[in-house]
Every structure is written in C-alpha cells, then in structure tokens.
Amino acid sequence: MEKGYVKPIGTIHVQGENIFIELEEAYREGLQGLAGFSHINVFWWFSEFDSEDARQVLSGPQPYKQSPEVMGVFATRSPLRPNPIAFTPVSVLEIDYQKGFIRIPYIDANDGTPVLDIKPYTPSLDRVENPQVPSWCDHWPKSVEESGNFNWEEEFNF
C-alpha cells in the first residue's frame, strides 16, 4: 500500500475551558455503546504541520532538555513526521449523542483540529503495567492524571 485514504470523522473544539469533540453527523451512530467508558483514545491530524517539508523530517535537535542531542522522529511526539498523526488518551466528561459531542477536560490539539478516529480506552489492551523509558525522561509523570500537575515547560526546548 503506497497511499491510504483517511477521512476525518469530526473536529476538536477548544473554546477556553470548554473542550469537546464534534463528530460529523454521518458518524454519530458510532457513539452507541460508548457510555460507561471513562476514557477514550483520540487519533487526530497535526493539520497545522502537514506539508511536504514537515513530512520529510526524520530527526531533529534535542527536543527535551535531558534527551540526547539528536532524536529520531519515532522517539518523539513531534508533529513533524512522515504521517502527521497524533494520539491522545482523554477523559470523557459527557456525551451528547444527538449533537455528536464528547466533552473532554483537555487535549493537546488546537481548535479546529481534524479527528481521525476514536477508540475506547480499555486497560486490557491499552495499559502497560511496567513500561520502560530512557533515563532522561524517567522522572516524567506515570499517568495522564499526574501530567496535569507536572511542569512540562521545564522539559521542552521549544
């Protein structure tokens, strides 16, 4: 497969403290059965970084203060990558099935960002009990919940 076909199913809206995913009407039926899941995995498009030049970037200078001097794109969460796909697990605060809205507390995407897919977070498939990370980032929070109180600005070189 040389080329794939991906069509956004919705859009991320960030309006101050009000953050939600709005699904296109054609995909709202897909929300059925999502009630009861506390978290979802959101796959979204780094649309602001989708250019031929950005897709050619395979490595770059030290993105994190304690990381190696040069890092490959697959060792980072950089938006500059061959396929600008992003993935963020988020809490589900509320689902409006009629309007196709999923209200969430936070996502590291901008207003208007295209959503490619949503999957329920299931610990049996998504959780790793004892993950290993390089020593330069082993002081980072061990969960999404802890990350909210972590001073990330002290970690990045951008």
Side-chain angles (χ1 to χ4, degrees), residues 89 106 140-153:
Y106 172 79
W140 289 3
K142 305 298 184 239
S143 70
V144 170
E145 292 82 3
E146 291 177 15
S147 292
N149 296 320
F150 189 72
N151 187 355
W152 287 105
E153 291 179 11

Side-chain angles (χ1 to χ4, degrees), residues 5-132:
Y5 175 73
V6 178
K7 182 179 179 183
I9 62 166
T11 306
I12 294 168
H13 296 282
V14 180
Q15 301 168 344
E17 297 293 315
N18 191 22
I19 303 168
F20 61 97
I21 298 165
E22 179 181 15
L23 293 186
E24 297 290 334
E25 188 170 351
Y27 299 104
R28 293 177 187 169
E29 181 181 336
L31 291 172
Q32 297 305 312
L34 195 58
F37 286 97
S38 65
H39 292 75
I40 56 175
N41 294 317
V42 180
F43 296 84
W44 49 277
W45 197 255
F46 276 119
S47 54
E48 295 176 25
F49 295 91
D50 190 3
S51 70
E52 284 304 314
D53 288 342
R55 286 173 173 247
Q56 302 306 311
V57 175
L58 295 178
S59 65
Q62 186 179 42
Y64 313 107
K65 292 185 179 175
Q66 297 182 39
S67 69
E69 288 185 29
V70 175
M71 289 188 68
V73 68
F74 303 130
T76 73
R77 296 180 67 93
S78 170
L80 306 176
R81 47 197 331 107
N83 292 302
I85 298 170
F87 162 80
T88 307
V90 298
S91 298
V92 175
L93 299 176
E94 179 183 4
I95 302 172
D96 182 326
Y97 294 94
Q98 295 299 317
K99 294 181 181 177
F101 289 2
I102 304 171
R103 196 165 62 87
I104 58 178
Y106 172 79
I107 192 164
D108 53 340
N110 296 327
D111 185 52
T113 297
V115 174
L116 302 178
D117 202 0
I118 295 169
K119 296 179 186 238
Y121 174 89
T122 53
S124 59
L125 299 172
D126 300 324
R127 182 176 171 194
V128 177
E129 289 289 335
N130 298 299
Q132 300 292 314

